[in-house]
Amino acid sequence: MSEQMNKPHAIIVMGVSGCGKSSVGEKLAEALHLAFVEGDALHPAANVEKMSKGIPLTDEDRMPWLDLIGEDMQAPLDKSEGIIVSCSALKRVYRDRLRAAVGGNLFFVYLEGSKALLTKRMGERKGHFMPVSLLESQLATLELPTGEPGVVTVDIDDTVDGIAATALKGLAALGITA
């Protein structure tokens, strides 16, 4: 077992809006007995306002938010505790910034789904600031994490429980268990 497996780790549940990051993240946190942080709750008010108006965020908008997520992940790791965070982490540069924030001790669960399924799910959500109109810009921004270290890819065409179970199997293959 590698040294990385012997210490607490951070896991980010990533993907575009509507893929189920929060729901799956909560299930994984429960199964792995880890704290869960809703990454969207860390967005500055200006970011939420932009997105709620249908304006895509820029890299400049996202970097301070990613830094906050990094700080939120490092705090429990410093206390020898693991954590799970939901975060879109759409670009490799964002994922690398998050990896650097926790000294590389970070795994990703990428929730992948068709545009039709994502649109349907976003349309069914109630009370979320992200309008369906921004899905197109998120899909255009997304850089698939294929080939990156520590990434588990899970198809979202299943129930939340099914998606979480598949993610747990993938994480277990990387040495992460409860």
Side-chain angles (χ1 to χ4, degrees):
M1 186 180 285
S2 75
E3 183 182 319
Q4 191 172 9
M5 293 301 121
N6 290 327
K7 60 184 182 179
H9 42 265
I11 299 168
I12 289 184
V13 181
M14 64 161 288
V16 297
S17 190
C19 69
K21 293 182 295 291
S22 301
S23 300
V24 173
E26 288 170 353
K27 290 278 185 189
L28 293 177
E30 184 181 321
L32 295 171
H33 311 289
L34 297 174
F36 174 73
V37 173
E38 170 57 65
D40 281 346
L42 301 175
H43 268 297
N47 284 8
V48 174
E49 185 177 343
K50 273 182 95 166
M51 288 183 287
S52 64
K53 291 179 178 175
I55 303 168
L57 297 180
T58 64
D59 285 354
E60 293 73 28
D61 295 326
R62 285 188 180 101
M63 292 308 173
W65 171 63
L66 294 169
D67 291 341
L68 283 174
I69 289 173
E71 290 167 16
D72 264 37
M73 290 188 301
Q74 188 59 52
L77 292 175
D78 286 343
K79 297 184 283 187
S80 295
E81 299 169 5
I83 187 166
I84 295 180
V85 180
S86 62
C87 172
S88 53
L90 298 175
K91 290 183 178 182
R92 171 92 189 230
V93 66
Y94 304 164
R95 295 186 293 275
D96 287 345
R97 189 178 188 108
L98 292 164
R99 285 181 181 104
V102 295
N105 193 22
L106 179 59
F107 298 87
F108 290 88
V109 173
Y110 168 50
L111 302 180
E112 180 177 59
S114 70
K115 182 178 173 186
L117 181 56
L118 292 161
T119 302
K120 177 180 182 284
R121 288 189 179 178
M122 285 183 76
E124 293 169 350
R125 292 196 304 193
K126 302 288 182 251
H128 196 280
F129 62 82
M130 178 75 91
V132 176
S133 62
L134 283 181
L135 178 59
E136 197 66 48
S137 75
Q138 284 210 327
L139 289 169
T141 301
L142 178 64
E143 296 172 1
L144 297 177
T146 308
E148 292 179 29
V151 176
V152 174
T153 299
V154 181
D155 190 298
I156 64 166
D157 194 9
D158 199 350
T159 63
V160 171
D161 287 336
I163 296 165
T166 301
L168 286 166
K169 285 178 195 160
L171 289 167
L174 295 175
I176 300 170
T177 58

